[in-house]
Amino acid sequence: MFLFRATLAFAMRTADGQNYNVSNVLVCDETPRVSFWFVVTSPLNSTLLVERRQVEEAVRKSRNRINSAFLLTDNTLEFLGIPPTLAAPAPPSSPPWLIVFGVVMGAVGAGIVLVLGTSVMQRRRQKKKEQTGFEEGEEESRAERNGAASDSVYNLSFSDNDRLTQM
Amino acid sequence: MKFKLPNPGLEDRILSYEQLDSLEEKEAGDRPKWDNKTQYMLTCVGFCVGLGNVWRFPYLCQSHGGGAFMIPFLILLVLEGIPLLHLEFAIGQRIRRGGLGVWSAIHPYLTGIGIASMCVSLTISLYYNTIIAWILWYFFNSFQDPLPWSQCPMNANSTGIVSECERSSPVDYFWYRETLNITPNIEDDGGLQWWILLCHICAWSVLYICIIRGIETTGKAVYVTSTLPYVVLTIFLIRGLTLKGSLNGVKFLFTPDVTELAKPSTWLDAGAQVFYSFSLAFGGLISFSSYNSVHNNCEQDAVIISIINGFTSVYAATVIYTIIGFRATERFDNCLSGNILALLNMFELPEGYITDSNYDQVVQRLNETSPEIIQQLDLPTCNLRTFLSEGVEGTGLAFIVFTEAITKMPLSPLWSVLFFIMLFCLGLSSMFGNIEGVVVPLQDLKVFPKSWPKEAITGVTCMFCCLVGLIFLQGSGNYWLSLFDTYGGSIPLLVVAFCEMFSVVYIYGIDRFNDDIEFMIGYKPNFFWQASWRVISPLIMLVILVFYFITKVSENILYKAWDPESDNFPTLEEKLYPSWIYVIIFILAGISALAVPLVAVWKCVMTKKRDKLHINNIADQIQINDEIKKIPA
């Protein structure tokens, strides 16, 4: 209780500037629930009560201090009629989801381009192979026809490596 | 059961056994093939195991008597699911054509079945990928701490939190406002939501790159998409079991209530769940099976995949309910401590006077001494069972209930990322089968010129579906999606499945089918298969179809809308559809289902016309010949 009165006196001092003392904070009607009423008297005149609004303002200003003096939070220490001001959440500079989206989309896009590119290259290579393969096939059939025409043994000593006679 | 409809010319349309064997040996033919058996099994498992296993089965299980629901589910799995699956695998492997080619090979009049399953696959592909887009949106948003759906945002002048969020909850607000930006009714379209458009394009791009070359690329993608969900489910199981209250959830899920078995709706829901869970009648499974070698053991595959599907449903339900149990316990504790605080404050009692255990006694005592004060306080009743049985299914389960539970776990971003990756993989692997069921029939129908490479065909299909799917990205998109889901994907599938069974057994001939299976796997299918294909499964399909149809047609066609202006906000308000929606419902459900008889009739008329022309020509030819003969030499 002393700690509470001292903390409240400190809060009034910070808000008002006048020299509040522990004796200026009066407490009454304590319950086993640890809830009570309190009033603050002016240091100049002990019969004069400080207005509710001023006390509220003082408490609001030093709420953090009062809470931490008791190691409590806004949830566990309640001043009836003084709702705690909520901390505004700071909006992030760029929405983080766009960053992840960009990464995924970039990877997928690169993948698509890669796959399409490889299939285009494959197709070109196949076309080339088909063309050259076609020509080779013609040459081979011509050579076989020439070879089959003569029944004699092919003498290797006079042969050269290409089977077609050069023009 | 020797009933068989006449089917002339069947031999000409399908490959004979000798041709099949020679194809097998030479490895000829331009049909794509699986690299190995694992890819095939993983693709089929991925297609069957989808989002429904995670968010439809647990809800059904819990609402139809918990553990007792397993009984109709398992019985119908064995009598309906496995035979149909085996049938699709076997017919695909034998005839070696896609979903449409198989039916036109059995009889040209049956092409309608193929067209119907293609239409259904197309309808479902359109909206399924939007769900994947939403999953991606949540996934992208999971990389921050605190998660954006854990707290309400401030309003414009920072005096307090947004009123819509305050009246409902942060998760509801994030889902309905920041994700969907939903309009109060289906007529207001609310414009395109650009952030979901980006996710939509991303979802279709990822799908495109996985199916770009057909099963060549899909077969590699499924190594990840089909196995990752199981890993994540196991991680969640371990995490879930260590949370407080998880066992309450599991106990609630599996406590059997045997009286539910007497209700026909339980059996109907079980049958429908087995059917939809197996992704039958889409044409995708037939297609996948046709890329197998001829002597692959399709009977074994069917049984294995059915068991895996059933097991996954039960496993996923357990995991989901550990987390739901945790959430319900958390809510219950919050409710109770809120009440206790109010009582302590009101009666100026010291801390610790009322605890969880003596709460009821104290409340009773206080009620006796000062009832007016208790009345004034208006304490909500905290009942754990109520919280547990807030049965949610579908998108509500994933995006509202589960996300809320995740925010209460330590290290929330990690669990959120894991959860949405799992949902993404489940959805994507099902999409592979859906797209297969669209692209292959289009190729069979020769819609695209033959010179186009596979990449172009899949690209055009994806582009088309992406553009049509823009309907679901509007403000009213969620209403359109549930419309498509309820009517586009339910009745036509049942019709197609029934026609499939009937065609294979009575038009293709069950004897020929038995011989085919003996040729393929080496032994004839036993009595169980005979009985189920001929009688049991078609009967079950017919009963489910009739009852489903009757319930859908007789109930009021309502939809649930999120309307901040309504009286009992945040509960969803039931509204009537406008009258022009009935046209759309008819198009969705009717056109696919009616395609079966209509195409049969059309083909019949065409054939008769052609035959008449042909006969006329032959008659003319004979006449000319006779006249030539009559000319004296």
Side-chain angles (χ1 to χ4, degrees), chain A residues 106-166:
Chain A
V108 171
I112 291 181
V113 166
L114 203 75
V115 172
L116 286 178
T118 46
S119 55
V120 165
M121 299 258 292
Q122 255 184 1
R123 219 169 292 278
R124 279 209 201 127
R125 230 180 288 148
Q126 243 187 2
K127 253 195 223 152
K128 241 187 250 172
K129 218 191 278 180
E130 265 170 32
Q131 278 184 344
T132 48
F134 191 51
E135 289 170 6
E136 273 179 16
E138 275 190 359
E139 291 177 2
E140 280 191 3
S141 58
R142 242 181 285 151
E144 277 178 8
R145 264 184 269 131
N146 282 340
S150 59
D151 281 332
S152 52
V153 178
Y154 192 66
N155 195 338
L156 286 166
S157 49
F158 291 107
S159 71
D160 45 352
N161 282 330
D162 36 344
R163 289 145 110 224
L164 288 179
T165 48
Q166 285 178 339

Side-chain angles (χ1 to χ4, degrees), chain A residues 31-35 75 78 86-89 92 95-98 100-101 104-105 107-112 114-116 118-119 122-123, chain B residues 137 139-141 143-144 151 154 158 160-161 194-195 198-199 201-202 205-206 208-209 212-213 217 341 344-345 348-351 453 455:
Chain A
T31 62
R33 180 86 185 95
V34 196
S35 77
N75 277 345
E78 192 184 355
L86 303 158
W97 72 270
L98 269 180
V100 187
F101 167 75
V104 172
M105 205 58 202
V108 171
I112 291 181
L114 203 75
V115 172
L116 286 178
T118 46
S119 55
Q122 255 184 1
R123 219 169 292 278
Chain B
W137 162 255
F139 172 70
F140 293 149
N141 273 298
F143 286 92
Q144 45 187 299
Q151 59 206 47
M154 295 294 231
S158 295
I161 53 183
W194 65 268
W195 54 93
L198 289 179
C199 297
I201 294 178
C202 187
S205 311
V206 175
Y208 178 53
I209 197 178
I212 194 167
R213 284 206 201 126
T217 42
L341 192 68
L344 289 178
N345 277 347
E348 306 285 5
L349 303 159
E351 241 358 276
E455 290 90 344

Side-chain angles (χ1 to χ4, degrees), chain B residues 360-544:
Chain B
D360 296 310
Q361 302 162 299
V362 174
V363 168
Q364 209 172 0
R365 197 162 13 109
L366 289 173
N367 214 356
E368 285 162 16
T369 50
S370 36
E372 336 74 43
I373 308 182
I374 300 279
Q375 286 283 74
Q376 216 182 349
L377 275 180
D378 198 18
L379 297 170
T381 33
C382 300
N383 187 348
L384 185 61
R385 275 196 81 82
T386 328
F387 287 124
L388 281 172
S389 55
E390 267 172 9
V392 208
E393 55 160 338
T395 50
L397 175 68
F399 298 119
I400 298 182
V401 171
F402 215 83
T403 45
E404 187 187 337
I406 287 179
T407 55
K408 301 202 163 58
M409 300 199 270
L411 284 183
S412 330
L414 171 69
W415 305 115
S416 181
V417 165
L418 277 179
F419 178 64
F420 289 111
I421 281 191
M422 173 183 85
L423 288 187
F424 177 68
C425 288
L426 284 172
L428 195 68
S429 53
S430 298
M431 274 306 287
F432 294 153
N434 285 335
I435 288 287
E436 179 80 13
V438 174
V439 167
V440 173
L442 284 178
Q443 280 181 309
D444 283 341
L445 284 174
K446 303 193 178 26
V447 168
F448 297 108
K450 218 171 161 89
S451 59
W452 278 23
K454 182 97 187 201
E455 290 90 344
I457 298 178
T458 45
V460 167
T461 315
C462 285
M463 186 74 64
F464 173 75
C465 291
C466 189
L467 287 174
V468 176
L470 292 179
I471 312 172
F472 305 112
L473 307 181
Q474 302 167 317
S476 51
N478 194 26
Y479 304 135
W480 284 101
L481 199 134
S482 42
L483 186 75
F484 269 62
D485 190 22
T486 321
Y487 298 106
S490 50
I491 295 184
L493 282 174
L494 291 166
V495 170
V496 169
F498 178 73
C499 292
E500 279 186 10
M501 287 210 115
F502 187 81
S503 313
V504 168
V505 173
Y506 297 113
I507 301 184
Y508 184 70
I510 187 77
D511 298 319
R512 181 186 283 273
F513 193 55
N514 285 336
D515 291 336
D516 286 341
I517 294 184
E518 188 176 4
F519 166 68
M520 290 195 292
I521 63 180
Y523 52 89
K524 261 207 167 119
N526 60 29
F527 177 71
F528 165 71
W529 301 112
Q530 306 295 332
S532 50
W533 284 329
R534 286 184 217 214
V535 176
I536 305 181
S537 301
L539 207 62
I540 296 180
M541 294 306 318
L542 195 62
V543 166
I544 294 181

Side-chain angles (χ1 to χ4, degrees), chain B residues 244-266:
Chain B
K244 177 184 178 212
S246 52
L247 290 174
N248 290 338
V250 177
K251 258 185 274 177
F252 180 71
L253 175 70
F254 288 122
T255 327
D257 178 10
V258 196
T259 56
E260 285 277 340
L261 290 181
K263 288 193 211 155
S265 66
T266 309

Side-chain angles (χ1 to χ4, degrees), chain A:
Chain A
M1 192 42 65
F2 178 74
L3 181 60
F4 178 76
R5 291 164 74 195
T7 328
L8 204 60
F10 171 77
M12 291 304 298
R13 272 198 202 183
T14 335
D16 225 0
Q18 299 177 41
N19 251 2
Y20 286 88
N21 229 327
V22 177
S23 49
N24 290 115
V25 183
L26 305 167
V27 169
C28 51
D29 213 9
E30 263 194 72
T31 62
R33 180 86 185 95
V34 196
S35 77
F36 43 82
W37 292 96
F38 67 91
V39 288
V40 183
T41 56
S42 168
L44 306 164
N45 188 352
S46 54
T47 46
L48 190 65
L49 294 173
V50 176
E51 263 183 37
R52 185 204 177 94
R53 236 185 330 112
Q54 277 182 298
V55 181
E56 269 183 23
E57 251 186 68
V59 169
R60 265 220 188 94
K61 262 178 126 178
S62 319
R63 186 60 186 270
N64 209 9
R65 269 299 181 82
I66 301 177
N67 279 350
S68 45
F70 292 95
L71 301 175
L72 294 173
T73 62
D74 283 340
N75 277 345
T76 37
L77 174 64
E78 192 184 355
F79 287 88
L80 284 175
I82 310 179
T85 48
L86 303 158
S93 50
S94 64
W97 72 270
L98 269 180
I99 302 173
V100 187
F101 167 75
V103 168
V104 172
M105 205 58 202
V108 171
I112 291 181
V113 166
L114 203 75
V115 172
L116 286 178
T118 46
S119 55
V120 165
M121 299 258 292
Q122 255 184 1
R123 219 169 292 278
R124 279 209 201 127
R125 230 180 288 148
Q126 243 187 2
K127 253 195 223 152
K128 241 187 250 172
K129 218 191 278 180
E130 265 170 32
Q131 278 184 344
T132 48
F134 191 51
E135 289 170 6
E136 273 179 16
E138 275 190 359
E139 291 177 2
E140 280 191 3
S141 58
R142 242 181 285 151
E144 277 178 8
R145 264 184 269 131
N146 282 340
S150 59
D151 281 332
S152 52
V153 178
Y154 192 66
N155 195 338
L156 286 166
S157 49
F158 291 107
S159 71
D160 45 352
N161 282 330
D162 36 344
R163 289 145 110 224
L164 288 179
T165 48
Q166 285 178 339
M167 301 290 270

